[in-house]
Amino acid sequence: MKRHALVAAAAAAAVVALAACSSGTNAGSGGTDTKTITLASVDQGSIEDVVKAFEAANPGVKVRYTTSGADQYQQQIRTQLASGTAPDVMTVWPGNGNPGATYVLAKPGYLLDLSDQPWVAKLPAGLKGVTQFQGKTYNAVFGLNGIGAVYNQQALDQAQLKPPTTWTELLTFCRAAAGKGTPAFALGIQDNWVTQLALYALVATLVYGPDRDFDTKMQSGSATFARSPWTTAMAKYQEMNGAGCFQKNPLGTSYEASQELAASGKTLGIIQGNWVVALLKGKNPAASFVLKALPATDTPATFVMPAAAGAGYGVNAKTKNKELALKFVSYIMSPEGMKVFNGKQGSLPAIPDNGSGADPAFTELTTFLKDNRTVPFMDQLWPNAKVQQTMLSGLQEIFSGQSTPDKVLAAMDADYKAGA
């Protein structure tokens, strides 16, 4: 994800035209001003406060930054890096799941090795595999994110409905919500990275609940997407659509528009990462939101949530302002910087015991993390970025009636087998 991926997710943000902010208009690394660095980010709505805090802590220093959506950013960053026009510091996703991910950018030498930075030793062991390439650290991951159903409590109260706790209850919930004229979940799959989130929430329980070694089996060739419970997850995603779980025309709804629906109570919630909660609160400060696991079976004890490192930041290997770029990344990973970033995004701190408290909206996610009932975002451990891109476009085609789950999963298997 956005922000998958995830994310784009992993951190993730609305797709908008690349817009310059702060004290400049062009994020390139060609400048020689030792008091100014350039930054490209997908963390819209949160990077602004981090930049302000960094500049306040470093008088005279300026950060010229741009923000864009995950889809647009991923299309641009490789071109900028190859042409020498990339910024000093940039969003980098964990693992290997998309064109802006750690492995993809570190392998050709686009990123600066950060292994000698003091904060690296504090990263939990579980994050090393997705922040490193060939044993060296290239990604400053500051937050942990989870995917689930985010509910608007006021909208639930008005509809006199409660969050479902089983798969059967989920379908009943969706039908009841649709009957009241307020669909259960906003779905903005005009932005293709959003298509994966509900699927990942289902896959976590259906695939990894019974088999935590599924990724190892995929890597050895003894398992495939097409001959696994991924088929069940795909079917249930479509069953949700058929049950009226989403508003009309998800393909014509952008991520930004889906936020408006959930924040205003025109839907009862949205299936997204925890990062969306801060955005929803910004659109409706009077509302309260809560993140819960999306039911995929009728046995809640088997539920697993997707939870993993969100998008972090890397340094351009060709930066002409290495010292200041590293200083900015170090600030992001400091207790002060992490508190600002995680507080604004509503994410959980990547480095434990740093003084940052978790939003009460994420109590269930925190419990799942503590009880080891989470799995990484699926794409983070795939061998190349093409698998995710095939899945995203394929899911859009399924919703438009131009493809089928079987065809998409077969295509994903072909891309997976192609390797790195």
Side-chain angles (χ1 to χ4, degrees):
M1 182 6 156
K2 256 140 352 27
R3 228 133 79 300
H4 135 349
L6 192 331
V7 155
V15 176
V16 297
L18 190 61
C21 307
S22 192
S23 56
T25 59
N26 186 18
S29 61
T32 57
D33 183 358
T34 58
K35 287 290 187 179
T36 301
I37 58 169
T38 52
L39 166 71
S41 173
V42 298
D43 291 313
Q44 295 168 324
S46 55
I47 190 62
E48 296 85 352
D49 284 9
V50 176
V51 167
K52 288 178 183 177
F54 175 73
E55 290 179 341
N58 296 274
V61 169
K62 293 295 180 182
V63 179
R64 291 195 292 120
Y65 66 96
T66 59
T67 60
S68 61
D71 292 344
Q72 181 181 356
Y73 177 88
Q74 289 171 12
Q75 292 170 7
Q76 293 176 336
I77 195 64
R78 285 291 296 270
T79 300
Q80 293 174 342
L81 286 164
S83 64
T85 60
D88 298 307
V89 181
M90 69 203 79
T91 290
V92 177
W93 279 267
N96 199 37
N98 66 60
T102 303
Y103 302 177
V104 178
L105 299 184
K107 186 176 182 179
Y110 289 140
L111 299 178
L112 188 69
D113 181 6
L114 305 176
S115 302
D116 62 351
Q117 297 301 296
W119 51 264
V120 171
K122 300 177 184 178
L123 284 174
L127 295 185
K128 290 182 179 179
V130 294
T131 59
Q132 294 181 344
F133 177 73
Q134 295 183 342
K136 296 180 180 180
T137 299
Y138 292 93
N139 194 347
V141 169
F142 59 87
L144 298 173
N145 294 300
I147 297 171
V150 177
Y151 297 98
N152 180 327
Q153 187 60 54
Q154 282 70 26
L156 286 174
D157 292 343
Q158 186 170 352
Q160 296 182 314
L161 292 172
K162 294 181 179 181
T165 60
T166 67
W167 170 252
T168 299
E169 287 181 6
L170 174 64
L171 296 180
T172 301
F173 174 82
C174 287
R175 295 187 183 104
K180 293 175 181 288
T182 311
F185 304 111
L187 184 62
I189 57 173
Q190 186 180 91
D191 297 317
N192 74 351
W193 69 270
V194 177
T195 61
Q196 66 196 312
L197 301 179
L199 180 60
Y200 281 9
L202 294 168
V203 164
T205 293
L206 295 170
V207 176
Y208 294 89
D211 188 0
R212 290 301 186 96
D213 294 325
F214 181 76
D215 284 314
T216 302
K217 293 177 181 178
M218 285 287 291
Q219 291 159 11
S220 69
S222 63
T224 66
F225 294 116
R227 295 183 179 180
S228 76
W230 270 82
T231 58
T232 306
M234 282 279 202
K236 289 198 170 189
Y237 196 179
Q238 293 308 106
E239 190 174 354
M240 288 178 66
N241 190 38
C245 289
F246 311 118
Q247 86 288 352
K248 293 181 180 179
N249 193 22
L251 280 169
T253 305
S254 68
Y255 175 47
E256 175 68 24
S258 71
Q259 294 173 43
E260 294 288 350
L261 291 172
S264 64
K266 292 180 180 178
T267 64
L268 302 184
I270 185 171
I271 300 172
Q272 262 288 344
N274 53 270
W275 55 80
V276 81
V277 171
L279 299 174
L280 298 179
K281 287 181 177 179
K283 295 177 183 298
N284 187 358
S288 57
F289 303 91
V290 62
L291 174 70
K292 291 185 173 293
L294 182 70
T297 70
D298 284 339
T299 311
T302 68
F303 292 177
V304 177
M305 293 182 74
Y313 286 87
V315 175
N316 187 344
K318 294 183 178 179
T319 178
K320 295 182 180 179
N321 204 347
K322 176 180 175 180
E323 182 178 350
L324 190 56
L326 289 174
K327 190 171 187 178
F328 180 77
V329 169
S330 292
Y331 180 77
I332 289 174
M333 300 303 291
S334 70
E336 296 78 15
M338 204 172 291
K339 185 175 183 179
V340 174
F341 230 149
N342 287 297
K344 192 69 178 179
Q345 286 196 348
S347 50
L348 304 174
I351 297 176
D353 302 322
N354 76 332
S356 298
D359 189 316
F362 309 133
T363 298
E364 187 159 311
L365 173 59
T366 302
T367 300
F368 271 64
L369 284 164
K370 188 167 82 172
D371 293 345
N372 194 29
R373 294 174 63 193
T374 64
V375 292
F377 296 165
M378 289 74 208
D379 57 276
Q380 291 186 355
L381 295 176
W382 292 345
N384 59 64
K386 186 67 169 62
V387 183
Q388 186 193 46
Q389 299 306 308
T390 295
M391 177 186 65
L392 298 180
S393 59
L395 286 168
Q396 286 183 321
E397 291 170 356
I398 289 172
F399 270 83
S400 66
Q402 296 175 299
S403 189
T404 66
D406 287 345
K407 290 180 180 178
V408 173
L409 291 173
M412 289 170 62
D413 277 325
D415 288 332
Y416 191 101
K417 291 175 183 176

